[in-house]
Amino acid sequence: MKPINIGLIGWGTVGSGVVKILLEDQALIQKKLERRLILKRIADLDLESPRPIQVDSSILTTNAEDIIKDPEIEIIIELMGGLEPARTFILKAIAAGKHVVTANKALLATHGQEIFKAAKEQGVEILFEASVGGCIPVIRTLKEDLPANHINHFFGILNGTANFILTKMSAEGVDFDQALAEAQAKGFAEADPTFDVDGIDTAHKLAILVSLAYGHELELDKIYVEGISQLALLDIQFAAEFGYVVKLLAISSSNESQIEARVHPALLPRDHVLAGVNGSFNAIFFNGHNVGDILLYGQGSGMMPTASAVASDIIDLARSISKGALRRVPSLAWREIGQDGMELKPMEETITTYYFRFSVLDRPSVLSKISGILGEHKISISAVIQKGREVKGAVPIVMMTHEAKEANVQKALSEINQLDMVRDKTVLIRVEDRF
Ligand code: HSE
């Protein structure tokens, strides 16, 4: 049978991993496929930087159009990242009748509607297993393994860089900047690491998962996002005294009419299964009405783990092409997206428990004043500690609450922050101990 030709656009870290798999694991792959895979062309603007594996220079080009216009290429792998020109290249590839494999979560979260619609109209596939959770089969699990489930809730650690930073801060007591520099040196941070630490990368992934899980439209701009760059080592240490670890979480749940979708640092009980997910590892927990709980865990980033996910899409596609079974599964798992009749719940309506750290002057009646304001806003305290240590002339009072509504919490904290005895803006970290 005639081979399937592949073109790669973006020869960076993950691209190099894909080249390595296609060249070095060919024998293994061919035992699973009827048609041979041939990496016919690679496009990248930088063809000079050293790569971990050499290729014949005749297949290299700096012009992506050479791949898009090549009639012999059936599958295009987009690994350049970013919104443009990746969007244009993918749309042109689809218009030219090519199938596309991408890891570009930012692009799918932002322009997914347009891209998935174009692929459907053209009858081509767009696969994106590597866009969420690196090597972890998150997308395929939702598309192929859980279609007979209402997803009640899911939450996870979806950014390896942020998780690496938080793990280092908590285990070694190092500050945020030092931990970030190390994450970047290890190569799993995004080109712009603010996407990792500000929670944006996690929000991109959450937007994709919300669509897959509930058939909801991609609505990146309605997801609440808060990152970890403002997180103080002190709070990680206080949280530990209460028996919690701090993780950057993507959290989602649904009822009949609303979907909760938020990204923020959260306190997890130390014995929670996700609390032990450390370093650059990712993990995601799904709860479906038939299946119950499912936990997926693995390397969320890095050259070979992510390349493994890209290769899984290429092999999947090659099988579909060989068997004439293209678009067997809709791109986002549902026949129609956006027919769910649900809305994303506004953040102010969220109900959860909270950790607060107040920086106050050490004077009588401070605590009663603060607890009075909390009480007026229906916020009930479950635990308090006051530490003697001075931080910038004030002492920290750390408090845990019972369940409270976000809108009430924001109102109460804004009143408390205006008190004379309060020296610094109150730190708020949400607690995730429902599931
Ligand atoms: N920068 C991402 C992370 C890479 O740190 O998880 C995978 O999306």
Side-chain angles (χ1 to χ4, degrees):
M1 272 179 133
K2 112 177 150 53
I4 294 175
N5 290 307
I6 296 169
L8 168 66
I9 303 176
W11 193 20
T13 306
V14 178
S16 298
V18 172
V19 172
K20 192 167 178 334
I21 290 176
L22 289 176
L23 299 184
E24 293 183 358
D25 295 323
Q26 217 177 76
L28 169 74
I29 293 170
Q30 290 319 142
K31 284 185 195 158
K32 300 178 181 180
L33 280 184
E34 291 176 9
R35 288 172 64 182
R36 232 159 69 75
L37 299 178
I38 294 188
L39 180 58
K40 187 161 186 259
R41 297 225 79 177
I42 299 176
D44 199 291
L45 289 178
D46 167 18
L47 298 176
E48 302 307 320
S49 298
R51 306 298 206 285
I53 186 154
Q54 299 306 312
V55 294
D56 192 316
S57 61
S58 66
I59 73 166
L60 300 175
T61 174
T62 52
N63 187 357
E65 301 277 349
D66 290 344
I67 292 179
I68 296 165
K69 291 196 175 134
D70 186 332
E72 291 182 349
I73 289 179
E74 288 183 76
I75 300 176
I76 291 188
I77 309 166
E78 182 277 309
L79 294 175
M80 58 191 304
L83 300 186
E84 282 294 355
R87 171 181 157 273
T88 301
F89 290 162
I90 287 182
L91 288 172
K92 280 186 175 177
I94 290 170
K98 319 280 187 204
H99 307 291
V100 174
V101 173
T102 179
N104 196 333
K105 58 258 163 168
L107 179 64
L108 294 180
T110 314
H111 295 296
Q113 240 129 273
E114 179 187 27
I115 291 170
F116 291 124
K117 184 166 173 273
K120 187 174 179 182
E121 283 169 6
Q122 194 65 23
V124 297
E125 293 269 18
I126 169 143
L127 299 183
F128 47 99
E129 185 59 67
S131 64
V132 180
C135 71
I136 310 172
V138 184
I139 307 292
R140 204 159 276 116
T141 298
L142 278 173
K143 280 169 80 167
E144 306 235 24
D145 300 312
L146 302 179
N149 283 273
H150 292 295
I151 302 298
N152 296 319
H153 59 258
F154 64 90
F155 64 107
I157 295 168
L158 296 180
N159 185 275
T161 304
N163 203 44
F164 177 90
I165 292 170
L166 293 175
T167 305
K168 259 203 123 37
M169 287 173 77
S170 118
E172 297 171 27
V174 301
D175 67 15
F176 175 84
D177 292 337
Q178 194 182 333
L180 171 61
E182 215 175 300
Q184 284 178 291
K186 287 187 183 287
F188 34 75
E190 295 298 303
D192 178 356
T194 56
F195 273 37
D196 296 299
V197 299
D198 289 346
I200 299 162
D201 176 73
T202 303
H204 290 150
K205 293 165 180 170
L206 180 58
I208 294 170
L209 294 184
V210 163
S211 270
L212 283 162
Y214 313 115
H216 194 72
E217 208 74 85
L218 288 150
E219 283 196 308
L220 178 64
D221 51 352
K222 294 208 181 134
I223 293 178
Y224 176 82
V225 189
E226 192 183 304
I228 60 163
S229 49
Q230 302 303 314
L231 208 61
L233 182 57
L234 185 67
D235 292 305
I236 292 179
Q237 291 165 340
F238 281 141
E241 290 186 32
F242 280 109
Y244 291 94
V245 295
V246 182
K247 295 289 182 192
L248 179 65
L249 293 184
I251 301 165
S252 183
S253 61
S254 71
N255 59 25
E256 306 275 278
S257 58
Q258 283 187 315
I259 297 169
E260 213 172 272
R262 48 194 165 100
V263 173
H264 54 72
L267 266 56
L268 278 177
R270 192 182 287 128
D271 58 1
H272 192 282
V273 70
L274 291 190
V277 175
N278 287 320
S280 62
F281 277 86
N282 284 194
I284 184 154
F285 206 87
F286 289 104
N287 178 276
H289 83 292
N290 284 319
V291 78
D293 288 334
I294 285 199
L295 176 67
L296 302 173
Y297 169 85
Q299 289 279 4
S301 50
M303 179 168 85
M304 295 320 297
T306 311
S308 162
V310 174
S312 79
D313 280 345
I314 298 170
I315 293 167
D316 190 348
L317 251 177
R319 285 174 169 151
S320 302
I321 293 171
S322 304
K323 294 288 177 200
L326 286 162
R327 295 199 59 88
R328 186 180 59 85
V329 185
S331 300
L332 281 165
W334 298 74
R335 278 174 41 223
E336 298 293 340
I337 290 290
Q339 306 295 310
D340 53 319
M342 294 197 280
E343 55 150 27
L344 286 198
K345 185 171 171 174
M347 187 60 189
E348 310 83 70
E349 291 176 25
T350 298
I351 294 178
T352 187
T353 53
Y354 293 83
Y355 161 105
F356 299 141
R357 174 167 57 83
F358 304 100
S359 295
V360 294
L361 296 178
D362 200 3
R363 285 205 205 128
S365 82
V366 170
L367 197 51
S368 66
K369 185 81 190 153
I370 288 175
S371 54
I373 294 176
L374 292 175
E376 282 162 24
H377 291 280
K378 303 191 185 68
I379 301 162
S380 153
I381 300 162
S382 68
V384 185
I385 48 172
Q386 180 181 337
K387 290 288 181 181
R389 313 177 216 169
E390 270 206 1
V391 181
K392 290 193 233 155
V395 286
I397 294 180
V398 180
M399 217 175 252
M400 306 293 295
T401 74
H402 291 294
E403 279 194 341
K405 194 170 173 184
E406 178 83 15
N408 293 346
V409 166
Q410 295 297 348
K411 275 186 229 145
L413 292 192
S414 103
E415 278 178 38
I416 290 169
N417 286 340
Q418 283 165 32
L419 299 173
D420 285 346
M421 58 194 75
V422 174
R423 286 291 131 136
D424 251 331
K425 195 169 171 233
T426 302
V427 173
L428 165 167
I429 309 178
R430 297 169 192 90
V431 182
E432 210 45 57
D433 52 9
R434 290 175 301 167
F435 310 125

